[in-house]
Amino acid sequence: MDAKAPITQDVLTIPRKLPEGPQNLIGLSRDQMRDALIAAGTAEKQAKMRVGQIWQWIYHWGVRDFAEMTNLAKDYRAMLADQFVIELPEVVTRQVSGDGTRKYLVRIAGGHEVEVVYIPETDRGTLCISSQVGCTLTCSFCHTGTQKLVRNLTAAEIVGQVMLARDDLGEWPVPGAPKDETRLLSNVVLMGMGEPLYNFENVRDAMKIAMDPEGISLSRRRITLSTSGVVPEIARTAQEIGCQLAVSFHATTDDVRDRLVPINKRWPIADLLDALRVYPKVSNSERITFEYVMLDGVNDSDEDAHRLIKLIEGIPAKINLIPFNEWPGAPYKRSSNNRIRKFADIIYKAGYASPIRTPRGEDIMAACGQLKSATERERKSKAQIAQEAGL
Ligand code: SAH
Ligand code: SF4
């Protein structure tokens, strides 16, 4: 196998046209916001304090209107309103599943769309966010991977997904109310559309904002980034984000993994495992989640289970078994419940947690790997998309 062989074919990367007009304050790091305020005429000596105040209004209180920032002078608020905006991606549709799962179709600049899924559970509420429109990788079992239009989301568009979900859940704190310890949105997983480590800087900046203790204040232990195995960025994730890591493992031989997760041709299993071995220590996180999609007759044998145990030896791990979520035209079938249970059992007996993920929101196509924008689903031809994208 030629290590340099392209692992993606036929993908159109959308050049991002920056929207013109006032600058969006959302998505800026504290330093970037400080620079922007100074450029807008704020005295350097005051800039840090202003950032602190504005930051709290936006990320702690969820305020979108400068007029409500009552600890700022009136003329300063007017200046902000004149030069800046506080803008989230737009929710186009919102579907609620029979099991309470919510799926939002969200429109970002340029008219492209991504999906965001909220999954309520008894002890937590998890928001599954997207990092790209589509995905340049072409995992053969993943619906997103069949989407051909790709662009990286900005940091604003990534953290904006968390904020719009908080809007919908009515979860911004109310001044004077007692502190709410039991959040509806308590966890974030980067498991929606896209490969987060192919959009590293924006994902990192967005997660830093989500973790900032004076704002949304999510603990890094409640953020999980899922990667298909972009090996060189794994160490950076440990150092620069420090969140929990999940890896889309899905196979126990390079031969099978090459077919399921084609990025394996560039960074095969042995390289991936080397990177994973050091992750917990560098990131100070407890264990790696190995995601393993159960595909009938492809990767679900007893031998696979035993091989998996051998491969991950020495890595603090939990193995998340995902029953394959079928989508129209998918080339695989879900393993039977008996098979999945047997597989889980072998792993469990070797001393690893091996939960079987319950598919959620199946009635609204919100389950893992089914995400794809509505416009793309109705796609007629590549030429037509190119035309619509103005390419
Ligand atoms: N690109 C990243 C994150 C998004 S995918 C990654 O691949 O890790 C989130 C998880 O859903 C991954 O483990 C992915 O392999 C899995 N997945 C994709 N399609 C699926 C499907 N049809 N059924 C079940 N899981 C799927
Ligand atoms: Fe992309 Fe992840 Fe889907 Fe693979 S599984 S195509 S990396 S979104």
Side-chain angles (χ1 to χ4, degrees):
M1 178 69 54
D2 174 7
K4 291 209 172 61
I7 50 162
T8 59
Q9 319 83 22
D10 219 16
V11 170
L12 295 175
T13 304
I14 309 161
R16 198 165 68 83
K17 290 197 205 90
L18 278 171
E20 314 223 326
Q23 188 176 13
N24 193 2
L25 287 181
I26 291 182
L28 301 182
S29 66
R30 281 175 180 267
D31 283 349
Q32 287 169 336
M33 195 186 285
R34 182 174 177 275
D35 292 347
L37 294 180
I38 291 171
T42 306
E44 281 205 28
K45 273 205 306 217
Q46 289 183 351
K48 195 171 168 210
M49 182 175 73
R50 297 285 170 251
V51 170
Q53 291 168 315
I54 296 168
W55 193 276
Q56 274 219 333
W57 284 116
I58 296 178
Y59 295 117
H60 179 76
W61 299 112
V63 162
R64 305 286 149 74
D65 182 352
F66 293 107
E68 288 175 43
M69 302 187 176
T70 46
N71 58 354
L72 299 172
K74 270 218 167 102
D75 56 344
Y76 192 74
R77 284 184 250 163
M79 180 284 285
L80 291 173
D82 202 41
Q83 306 216 25
F84 299 103
V85 289
I86 304 171
E87 241 168 41
L88 298 187
E90 177 198 353
V91 177
V92 183
T93 58
R94 169 181 176 278
Q95 288 169 278
V96 182
S97 153
D99 67 12
T101 301
R102 301 182 189 200
K103 182 169 86 170
Y104 311 95
L105 181 68
V106 168
R107 185 173 296 142
I108 55 172
H112 310 295
E113 289 160 354
V114 292
E115 292 183 338
V116 184
V117 177
Y118 173 73
I119 307 149
E121 288 172 279
T122 42
D123 59 340
R124 70 180 72 183
T126 303
L127 191 71
C128 178
I129 63 174
S130 293
S131 55
Q132 297 182 309
V133 178
C135 185
T136 55
L137 302 175
T138 50
C139 303
S140 50
F141 55 89
C142 173
H143 203 212
T144 306
T146 66
Q147 182 165 329
K148 290 197 166 76
L149 282 182
V150 178
R151 102 149 154 77
N152 280 338
L153 299 193
T154 62
E157 290 161 347
I158 298 168
V159 72
Q161 295 170 56
V162 179
M163 298 171 77
L164 63 86
R166 291 197 95 187
D167 286 355
D168 188 49
L169 295 166
E171 196 168 46
W172 295 101
V174 180
K179 205 165 177 238
D180 187 357
E181 301 293 348
T182 48
R183 287 207 202 172
L184 292 172
L185 199 174
S186 62
N187 293 57
V188 166
V189 294
L190 281 143
M191 292 187 188
M193 296 164 68
E195 168 49 59
L197 297 189
Y198 271 178
N199 186 15
F200 186 87
E201 278 87 7
N202 291 341
V203 164
R204 175 199 59 202
D205 293 352
M207 292 305 101
K208 288 227 137 127
I209 294 171
M211 292 186 285
D212 189 296
E214 282 168 48
I216 300 167
S217 185
L218 277 167
S219 152
R220 64 186 186 84
R221 296 186 185 282
R222 291 182 173 272
I223 297 176
T224 303
L225 184 152
S226 173
T227 180
S228 57
V230 185
V231 165
E233 305 289 1
I234 288 178
R236 261 183 105 190
T237 306
Q239 285 153 7
E240 298 179 35
I241 310 177
C243 59
Q244 306 297 306
L245 188 71
V247 58
S248 295
F249 209 66
H250 304 326
T252 60
T253 64
D254 280 322
D255 192 37
V256 175
R257 195 161 191 271
D258 280 354
R259 277 189 282 134
L260 298 180
V261 188
I263 200 179
N264 192 67
K265 294 179 201 162
R266 193 174 293 170
W267 295 294
I269 290 176
D271 295 5
L272 178 57
L273 289 171
D274 283 345
L276 297 179
R277 233 167 245 124
V278 291
Y279 189 90
K281 207 167 184 176
V282 182
S283 65
N284 187 24
S285 62
E286 283 145 33
R287 53 186 180 174
I288 308 262
T289 300
F290 285 77
E291 296 164 281
Y292 199 95
V293 64
M294 298 299 291
L295 303 171
D296 183 34
V298 175
N299 63 355
D300 62 350
S301 67
D302 287 357
E303 293 73 50
D304 279 306
H306 290 296
R307 262 197 303 269
L308 181 60
I309 295 161
K310 261 227 136 66
L311 285 170
I312 65 174
E313 207 179 334
I315 303 177
K318 156 179 152 191
I319 291 82
N320 219 328
L321 299 175
I322 318 175
F324 175 55
N325 293 309
E326 296 181 12
W327 37 272
Y332 302 104
K333 293 247 160 306
R334 179 184 291 186
S335 309
S336 72
N337 288 344
N338 276 343
R339 182 88 293 270
I340 299 177
R341 253 180 264 125
K342 183 89 193 299
F343 196 96
D345 219 42
I346 295 173
I347 291 166
Y348 182 75
K349 288 203 174 107
Y352 296 96
S354 56
I356 300 167
R357 195 181 288 172
T358 323
R360 299 288 304 262
E362 282 187 295
D363 51 339
I364 54 171
M365 284 277 287
C368 254
Q370 292 185 326
L371 304 184
K372 201 171 176 194
S373 65
T375 43
E376 272 287 309
R377 251 180 234 129
E378 288 155 13
R379 177 178 80 225
K380 294 212 177 68
S381 73
K382 194 175 144 186
Q384 192 183 352
I385 309 163
Q387 198 187 4
E388 283 165 11
L391 299 169

